[in-house]
Amino acid sequence: MPKPAVLVARAVFPEVTARLAAHFEVESNSADTIFTPAELSAKLVGKAGCFITGSERIDAALLDAHPQLRAVCNMAVGYNNIDVEACNARGVLATNTPDVLTETTADFGFALMMATARRIAESEHFLRAGQWTKWAYDMFIGPDVHGATLGILGMGRIGQAIARRGALGFGMKVMYHNRSRLDAALEAPLGARYVSKEQLLREADHLVIVMPYSAASHHAIGAAELALMKPSATLTNVARGGIVDDAALAQALRDRRIAAAGLDVFEGEPKVHPDLLTVPNVVLTPHIASASVATRRGMADLAAANLIAALTGAVPPTPINPQVLPLK
Ligand code: 8YV
């Protein structure tokens, strides 16, 4: 029997492509170009499955053009690039990569929050620019992290992992807002308090955003929300671009409505709002929160395991829509 054909839509670890090649005819994008929707569609002709990342969009029109496509396997935990309803309606399996990136992403979220609060990027630029000529009592002073109030918006796996770092490592007071309240057994060891979004914004010293992106969370943080925050507060986003209104954030930073921000994700990335590039009190990183060697390999392996299972009649480890199983 001929092997099913699959597309690996972005460059990935060669060992992972080799693992897929043991099961499939693999077309891989070793040049790592970002396919336009038309290019992606052309590449999917005759493919039973697809290994994708956050840069590929899977929507109803694409699925309708490729009725032979049975599985789309995302190398990411967030899956706002996949129209899951459209997949459900057509019996297409979608998978993601939860758990394997939780601790690495939490490390980065905490590091970005600390860099933001303690002005690490801003002061490093100052030093490199040769501006450091003397010590001064108020040079790059900022808020403390230890003992401060950590506000977490989106208390899923990564939010809880950040809360653990704050509560257990830095003696922070943890408050959070989430679609639903955690079990008391999860809240208690962290001393985590469930509060309204408004209370979170008003009282957090360091707000960390870790909620999934959807139409409902688009611009969940805009000018009105930023206006509720303390002028001494920081905001860190390691979730998705679009949750924060970047133009409103840049204005709030410029006006010192809040002290500083740390952003790993942007609306329309890899483009970055030009106003964010000119305000000094923001730390900007290019969507690298999950970028440790072991975690990126773990994500790629899990996406590959999902694709292999989906197309060989096994149960994929991390399906988003298991109700479509078994596949045709
Ligand atoms: C990925 C992410 O690096 O998992 C996610 O949701 O945002 C990152 O870990 C990125 O989405 C590439 O697929």
Side-chain angles (χ1 to χ4, degrees):
M1 219 169 62
K3 291 179 185 172
V6 301
L7 174 70
V8 179
R10 294 292 308 277
V12 70
F13 299 91
E15 299 87 345
V16 174
T17 315
R19 181 177 167 200
L20 291 170
H23 300 267
F24 309 121
E25 285 303 326
V26 177
E27 178 173 354
S28 55
N29 176 8
S30 41
D32 204 30
T33 47
I34 303 287
F35 296 141
T36 63
E39 286 166 345
L40 179 62
S41 186
K43 295 282 180 192
L44 284 174
V45 171
K47 303 297 192 299
C50 186
F51 180 117
I52 56 168
T53 71
S55 48
E56 288 71 47
R57 169 130 199 91
I58 305 294
D59 58 18
L62 188 76
L63 296 175
D64 284 341
H66 300 284
Q68 83 292 344
L69 191 64
R70 292 186 286 150
V72 291
C73 300
N74 212 24
M75 182 181 153
V77 64
Y79 50 84
N80 54 299
N81 57 319
I82 302 176
D83 182 340
V84 178
E85 290 301 309
C87 289
N88 294 345
R90 292 157 185 80
V92 175
L93 181 77
T95 68
N96 68 338
T97 59
D99 302 319
V100 289
L101 48 60
T102 300
E103 298 299 329
T104 297
T105 304
D107 283 349
F108 189 90
F110 207 84
L112 188 56
M113 180 267 282
M114 288 197 77
T116 301
R118 298 305 312 276
R119 306 178 65 178
I120 287 178
E122 200 184 346
S123 59
E124 202 226 21
H125 293 150
F126 168 88
L127 181 153
R128 283 181 188 271
Q131 293 174 286
W132 186 28
T133 53
K134 62 178 185 341
W135 178 91
Y137 78 96
D138 60 350
M139 189 166 72
F140 292 106
I141 54 173
D144 266 321
V145 171
H146 73 275
T149 297
L150 174 62
I152 299 194
L153 188 57
M155 195 67 151
R157 289 168 288 233
I158 299 169
Q160 290 171 45
I162 292 174
R164 278 199 299 279
R165 283 157 177 74
L168 309 180
F170 288 77
M172 298 181 85
K173 298 176 266 301
V174 174
M175 51 169 53
Y176 72 97
H177 183 72
N178 196 44
R179 274 172 302 194
S180 51
R181 186 171 175 173
L182 296 186
D183 286 347
L186 288 172
E187 282 184 354
L190 304 173
R193 272 199 306 143
Y194 181 70
V195 296
S196 68
K197 182 177 162 190
E198 184 178 320
Q199 189 179 354
L200 187 79
L201 293 165
R202 285 189 193 285
E203 294 182 17
D205 293 315
H206 302 296
L207 177 70
V208 181
I209 301 170
V210 220
M211 73 201 285
Y213 179 79
S214 67
S217 62
H218 182 73
H219 285 188
I221 303 293
E225 290 73 21
L226 292 163
L228 296 176
M229 294 177 69
K230 298 179 189 176
S232 56
T234 72
L235 175 155
T236 297
N237 185 6
V238 287
R240 275 291 178 274
I243 296 173
V244 175
D245 177 342
D246 285 347
L249 177 62
Q251 190 62 49
L253 290 166
R254 199 182 295 287
D255 297 346
R256 304 277 165 173
R257 271 290 317 121
I258 65 169
L263 303 175
D264 188 49
V265 289
F266 305 87
E267 290 186 272
E269 64 185 55
K271 292 203 184 91
V272 175
H273 195 292
D275 293 354
L276 287 172
L277 297 172
T278 57
V279 283
N281 45 343
V282 59
V283 186
L284 307 168
T285 53
H287 202 149
I288 56 167
S290 67
S292 77
V293 177
T295 288
R296 283 287 165 83
R297 182 61 197 267
M299 293 163 69
D301 276 331
L302 181 52
N306 276 314
L307 188 53
I308 293 165
L311 299 184
T312 58
V315 178
T318 52
I320 296 166
N321 56 351
Q323 67 272 27
V324 304
L325 294 169
L327 296 180
K328 54 199 172 202

